[in-house]
Amino acid sequence: MQDGVVLTTVDDFLNWGRKNSLWPMTFGLACCAIEMMATGASKYDLERFGCGAFMATPRRADMMIVAGTVTLKMATRVKVLYEQMAEPKYVISMGSCANKGGPYWQHGYHVLNGVDEVVPVDVYVPGCPPRPESLIEGVMTLQKKIANERLLRNKWVKHA
Amino acid sequence: MHNVDLNQLASLINKNVNGANATAHVPEDKKLDGSITVETSHVAKVCEWLRGNSEIPFNALQSISGVDYMEWMEVCYMFAHFDVAAPRELILKVKLTDRVNPNVDSIMKTYPAADFQERECYDMFGIKFNNHKDLRRILCPDDWKGWPLRKDYVAEKTYNGMDIYPDNKMNYEDRDYIVRQAMIKKAQETKAQ
């Protein structure tokens, strides 16, 4: 019991650090990526939340923002990029196309109906494309999720 | 099209390229675009003449597009001449009657810009361009089956183990509703006539 209390506090400390330095991957697929860039730029300033450092490699990134239409050609590459990221890793699906196929949902022959077919998604951001405020809301939702995680107790100690 | 007398140009092509059999289509409505149709086997020679002649030259290729008419196929070339004094445009068409194995000569030698345009046309319609140096798909993956913009194309169910139309995500009722409404509208229209 005593150990549990100590680990919870350490967990909280680690989570506080992790949630305030979420580094996304530099990765855009379509027009949603333009909104993602606007979110990262000076007016909306994603750096306020500690996730403005867009990493140029999946190895250094904690979070993948799937911004845009996931075509079947790209889906395999998205999966490879996700597998290259180091644990713990998170995925934000941004925009209607990445959520469920968007306008290509019923009659598109070349579009994957939602990126959750290939990678697990943590937060869905609706919109076509979502405004920067929506993406910030999505990032904050993900931060809340991370704050409530018990990584140390549930994963590392349990499987030690 | 703009600033081109199509009848005059067609007769010029016939005069300078043997067997080109150019015919001009000038629509009565001035808002619509006219075009020139030439013999499929002579399109490379016609393009060579179009670029190099001194009377009505065209120095740029704007686009190449394919059209599927079910019974036959067409390739449309859009040329332009970028000149401040006399800018002009032209639509050149060739008709491909063989729909199973359509092929036409590449115009890459005369207009290098045709490279990607012809690859896209091949990707979407399966039209083979003879003498093209690197004819492969440009947009679809290399292992893609079928020609997507053909009228009789049926979308695949799976690709590389991925479901294209997952059952839990499709709203077949909605799709049927749209089809049903279209049928009702069509029936009402024919009844009114």
Side-chain angles (χ1 to χ4, degrees):
Chain A
M1 184 64 204
Q2 219 172 4
D3 287 353
V5 173
V6 171
L7 283 182
T8 311
T9 321
V10 174
D11 254 340
D12 278 344
F13 176 69
L14 286 178
N15 286 346
W16 171 79
R18 285 195 310 125
K19 87 179 167 75
N20 288 313
S21 65
L22 265 181
W23 288 357
M25 193 160 72
T26 313
F27 176 58
L29 297 179
C31 33
C32 282
I34 304 293
E35 296 292 310
M36 188 179 73
M37 288 173 220
T39 319
S42 51
K43 186 165 182 180
Y44 291 95
D45 201 9
L46 208 55
E47 193 60 71
R48 291 178 292 160
F49 305 93
C51 44
F54 283 90
M55 284 294 120
T57 155
R59 302 278 187 211
R60 279 193 264 164
D62 306 304
M63 171 173 76
M64 180 159 84
I65 303 176
V66 185
T69 318
V70 187
T71 55
L72 293 168
K73 196 179 180 180
M74 196 64 198
T76 41
R77 290 149 174 85
V78 170
K79 203 179 176 197
V80 167
L81 284 171
Y82 177 76
E83 281 161 1
Q84 282 177 340
M85 283 162 71
E87 289 267 4
K89 49 195 174 184
Y90 305 94
V91 177
I92 290 182
S93 161
M94 181 185 180
S96 297
C97 293
N99 289 348
K100 217 188 161 180
Y104 316 100
W105 162 55
Q106 295 245 37
H107 302 289
Y109 64 92
H110 66 303
V111 174
L112 193 70
N113 279 355
V115 73
D116 48 6
E117 296 278 317
V118 287
V119 296
V121 176
D122 291 286
V123 178
Y124 295 89
V125 181
C128 185
R131 280 192 57 81
E133 291 94 331
S134 316
L135 182 58
I136 290 173
E137 174 79 27
V139 169
M140 285 165 78
T141 315
L142 184 60
Q143 284 182 334
K144 274 177 206 156
K145 186 180 175 177
I146 293 171
N148 291 324
E149 267 184 357
R150 292 283 168 259
L151 261 192
L152 212 57
R153 201 177 60 189
N154 291 353
K155 278 195 180 166
W156 297 350
V157 175
K158 227 179 218 175
H159 302 295
Chain B
M1 288 289 277
H2 300 298
N3 294 336
V4 175
D5 187 349
L6 289 175
N7 290 315
Q8 186 203 345
L9 183 59
S11 59
L12 268 175
I13 291 173
N14 282 331
K15 206 173 88 183
N16 289 288
V17 184
N18 274 335
N21 197 15
T23 42
H25 304 283
V26 187
E28 287 175 19
D29 192 347
K30 293 275 186 214
K31 289 174 198 160
L32 302 177
D33 294 327
S35 64
I36 290 181
T37 311
V38 295
E39 202 70 36
T40 315
S41 50
H42 285 70
V43 65
K45 281 177 194 164
V46 170
C47 289
E48 210 177 328
W49 180 81
L50 274 179
R51 177 144 202 174
N53 75 79
S54 54
E55 287 144 285
I56 310 181
F58 289 88
N59 61 9
L61 172 75
Q62 285 186 325
S63 83
I64 298 177
S65 55
V67 189
D68 187 4
Y69 287 101
M70 294 302 276
E71 288 92 26
W72 73 93
M73 286 171 107
E74 253 180 27
V75 180
C76 306
Y77 302 83
M78 289 179 73
F79 298 105
H81 187 64
F82 296 130
D83 184 5
V84 181
R88 52 179 170 263
E89 279 176 316
L90 167 71
I91 299 178
L92 192 76
K93 290 184 179 179
V94 292
K95 197 170 163 182
L96 310 174
T97 41
D98 183 8
R99 209 166 160 283
V100 181
N101 188 20
N103 62 85
V104 64
D105 284 345
S106 170
I107 60 162
M108 239 181 91
K109 265 186 189 161
T110 337
Y111 292 96
D115 185 356
F116 280 14
Q117 300 284 345
E118 285 176 353
R119 275 178 66 186
E120 190 194 347
C121 200
Y122 167 73
D123 191 357
M124 291 295 151
F125 293 95
I127 296 167
K128 295 223 166 54
F129 289 87
N130 307 327
N131 304 326
H132 190 287
K133 67 165 186 187
D134 183 25
L135 194 67
R136 58 198 162 88
R137 287 182 182 274
I138 190 169
L139 295 169
C140 290
D142 289 338
D143 54 349
W144 193 262
K145 284 184 197 128
W147 315 107
L149 280 189
R150 283 200 188 187
K151 294 276 188 245
D152 54 358
Y153 177 73
V154 181
E156 301 270 316
K157 290 269 182 277
T158 55
Y159 171 73
N160 269 359
M162 291 175 283
D163 261 355
I164 298 180
Y165 302 113
D167 275 340
N168 59 329
K169 286 189 177 174
M170 298 307 294
N171 186 352
Y172 289 111
E173 281 177 21
D174 194 24
R175 184 190 245 176
D176 293 345
Y177 176 80
I178 295 166
V179 173
R180 218 182 307 128
Q181 289 300 312
M183 279 167 70
I184 291 167
K185 202 180 169 192
K186 202 176 174 187
Q188 280 171 351
E189 278 172 5
T190 44
K191 208 177 177 184
Q193 283 170 4

